[in-house]
């Protein structure tokens, strides 16, 4: 393992106020989003959609890294280039989602565990050979009556740490994504407590598995009230709770925190990212960045609608959301001296 390469890649992924674009939806998830818009759900429509994304003019001005799924990394653009080549040509670092999805956790009704460790060393070697320089694994934690359980949090944190160690062995930067879901009527304080506990457990496991914290990126949820909680909060309050939570749980050695959007409307996710940077950029030991899927892609997918003729307009919408998120990182509330 070349530690300096890992550190350099991790730093590059969070540099220059840019962020990550997650475009690694599994086939069932991508199909579900297509079906909701009346778009055909075929291998070629998924390919064409992702070709629209990676050929967006200027995307590399806002995006450092793009996360692909297994299907896309094996596909090609109409001009014959592989997706990896097209992404590199756009000045973007290619990454790959390597978990194989979630499954119910035995003995814990309503909770899930993320799978994909079996054979991961070999899969990572193949992806590295194909040009991927970083990877992603998403664990999912739900809040509810007596959830999350310690068993669920522990099992998912352990799997994340095993995955991260294997990535670093393969020379790839692990994106460590423990997502506390927004579903539920819980208040922001409950999300704060659960997120803090999950992050502390994840970092305990990462240390046990000897993961180099300077060569990874954390991809957490923002700290927010549940979707059906009657008490919603301002952007500033969400930013404050999120920063306080992360500050008590995330070691300084981690170069960057790249938030997921988790189903927040695009503009709202951007506003919260902006509030985080406005209030905390100068205090935070890590970059506060983004790794959004829906919050960048959704308007573009709606405009594209499976029709080649809509590509330029869809690309303008995609660029706009990516640019807004880059701009959100460029604010900083430090008073001028
Ligand atoms: P969202 O931003 O749509 O939550 O997706 C991020 C992601 O990569 C989920 O794994």
């Amino acid at each position: 393992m070349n530690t300096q390469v890992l550190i350099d890649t991790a730093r590059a992924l969070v540099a220059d106020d840019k962020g990550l674009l997650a475009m690694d939806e599994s086939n069932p998830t991508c199909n579900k989003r297509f079906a909701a818009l009346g778009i055909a759900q075929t291998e070629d429509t998924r390919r064409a959609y992702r070709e629209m994304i990676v050929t967006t003019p200027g995307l590399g001005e806002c995006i450092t890294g793009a996360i692909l799924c297994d299907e896309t990394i094996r596909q090609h653009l109409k001009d014959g280039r592989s997706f990896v080549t097209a992404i590199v040509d756009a000045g973007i670092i290619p990454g790959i989602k390597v978990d194989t999805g979630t499954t119910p956790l035995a003995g814990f009704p309503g909770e899930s565990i993320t799978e994909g460790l079996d054979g991961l060393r070999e899969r990572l070697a193949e992806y590295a050979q194909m040009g991927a320089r970083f990877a992603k694994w998403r664990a999912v934690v739900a809040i509810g009556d007596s959830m999350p359980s310690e068993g669920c949090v522990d099992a998912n944190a352990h799997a994340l740490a095993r995955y991260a160690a294997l990535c670093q062995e393969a020379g790839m930067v692990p994106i460590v994504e423990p997502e506390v879901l927004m579903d539920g009527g819980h208040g922001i304080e409950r999300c704060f407590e659960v997120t803090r506990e999950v992050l502390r457990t994840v970092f305990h496991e990462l240390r046990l598995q000897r993961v180099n914290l300077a060569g990874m990126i954390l991809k957490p949820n923002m700290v927010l009230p549940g979707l059906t909680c009657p008490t919603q909060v301002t952007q500033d309050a969400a930013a404050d709770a999120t920063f306080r939570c992360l500050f008590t749980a995330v070691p300084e050695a981690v170069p960057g925190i790249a938030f997921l959007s988790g189903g927040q409307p695009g503009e709202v996710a951007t506003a919260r990212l902006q509030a985080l940077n406005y209030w905390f950029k100068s205090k935070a030991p890590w970059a506060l960045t983004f790794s959004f899927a829906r919050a960048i892609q959704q308007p573009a997918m709606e405009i594209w609608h499976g029709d080649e003729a809509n590509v330029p307009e869809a690309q303008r919408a995609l660029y706009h959301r990516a640019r807004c998120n880059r701009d959100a990182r460029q604010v900083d509330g430090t008073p001028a001296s």
Side-chain angles (χ1 to χ4, degrees):
M1 183 207 310
N2 185 333
T3 306
Q4 196 55 48
V5 170
L6 289 172
I7 293 172
D8 291 347
T9 304
R11 287 190 182 148
L13 287 170
V14 300
D16 299 331
D17 292 323
K18 302 182 196 178
L20 302 170
L21 170 62
M23 48 179 290
D24 60 328
E25 300 82 0
S26 64
N27 291 351
T29 300
C30 187
N31 287 346
K32 198 167 78 187
R33 293 183 189 159
F34 279 4
L37 297 170
I39 301 169
Q41 298 119 58
T42 67
E43 183 175 341
D44 198 57
T45 45
R46 293 190 295 271
R47 192 207 61 75
Y49 173 65
R50 277 130 176 184
E51 172 159 347
M52 180 278 290
I53 293 179
V54 302
T55 55
T56 294
L59 194 61
E61 296 164 16
C62 317
I63 299 296
T64 52
I67 314 170
L68 305 177
C69 67
D70 183 76
E71 179 178 86
T72 313
I73 203 170
R74 299 176 192 284
Q75 289 176 325
H76 293 79
L77 276 60
K78 280 184 311 224
D79 65 11
R81 286 179 299 161
S82 69
F83 270 83
V84 168
T85 302
I87 287 169
V88 172
D89 289 349
I92 296 172
I93 302 173
I96 179 77
K97 185 249 302 288
V98 301
D99 68 68
T100 56
T102 59
T103 190
L105 181 62
F108 295 84
E111 298 194 286
S112 68
I113 180 74
T114 301
E115 295 192 321
L117 288 173
D118 288 353
L120 183 56
R121 176 176 276 132
E122 292 72 26
R123 288 196 292 126
L124 287 168
E126 186 192 9
Y127 290 138
Q129 177 97 45
M130 293 168 98
R133 290 171 52 200
F134 71 102
K136 187 193 100 172
W137 177 292
R138 172 176 177 253
V140 178
V141 173
I143 297 182
D145 288 344
S146 55
M147 290 197 303
S149 64
E150 194 182 339
C152 169
V153 173
D154 265 16
N156 276 292
H158 179 75
L160 276 167
R162 295 267 319 276
Y163 138 82
L166 282 162
C167 284
Q168 292 192 334
E169 181 191 81
M172 289 163 71
V173 169
I175 307 282
V176 173
E177 181 179 8
E179 176 173 3
V180 177
L181 296 173
M182 286 161 59
D183 306 280
H186 55 272
I188 192 169
E189 282 309 317
R190 177 103 174 99
C191 180
F192 181 105
E193 284 160 18
V194 171
T195 303
R196 182 176 58 187
E197 184 56 26
V198 167
L199 293 176
R200 285 181 173 167
T201 309
V202 166
F203 280 101
H204 174 69
E205 289 289 337
L206 289 167
R207 286 199 178 97
L208 280 181
Q209 296 303 322
R210 301 183 174 169
V211 172
N212 183 332
L213 301 184
M216 62 159 276
I217 308 284
L218 179 70
K219 175 165 174 167
N221 51 286
M222 295 182 190
V223 173
L224 302 169
L227 279 175
T228 54
C229 176
T231 315
Q232 293 298 318
V233 300
T234 62
Q235 322 297 18
D236 288 349
D240 185 64
T242 301
F243 181 76
R244 282 190 291 112
C245 179
L246 294 169
F247 201 67
T248 61
V250 183
E252 287 188 13
V254 174
I257 293 180
F259 293 99
L260 58 93
S261 59
Q264 302 171 67
E267 290 82 359
V268 176
T270 304
R272 288 171 173 158
L273 181 68
Q274 176 161 340
L276 270 159
N277 277 284
Y278 180 82
W279 292 111
F280 301 112
K281 187 176 190 168
S282 56
K283 300 189 183 83
W286 357 260
L288 293 164
T289 181
F290 57 94
S291 177
F292 296 158
R294 283 162 287 183
I296 293 179
Q297 292 183 42
Q298 195 60 34
M301 187 187 287
E302 288 167 18
I303 293 166
W304 175 69
H305 217 263
D307 187 343
E308 177 85 25
N310 298 332
V311 165
E313 198 189 338
Q315 291 181 328
R316 281 194 287 279
L318 190 87
Y319 178 86
H320 177 68
R321 289 259 41 90
R323 181 86 221 179
C324 288
N325 287 304
R326 183 182 182 185
D327 291 348
R329 283 196 64 190
Q330 281 178 323
V331 300
D332 163 355
T334 309
S337 55

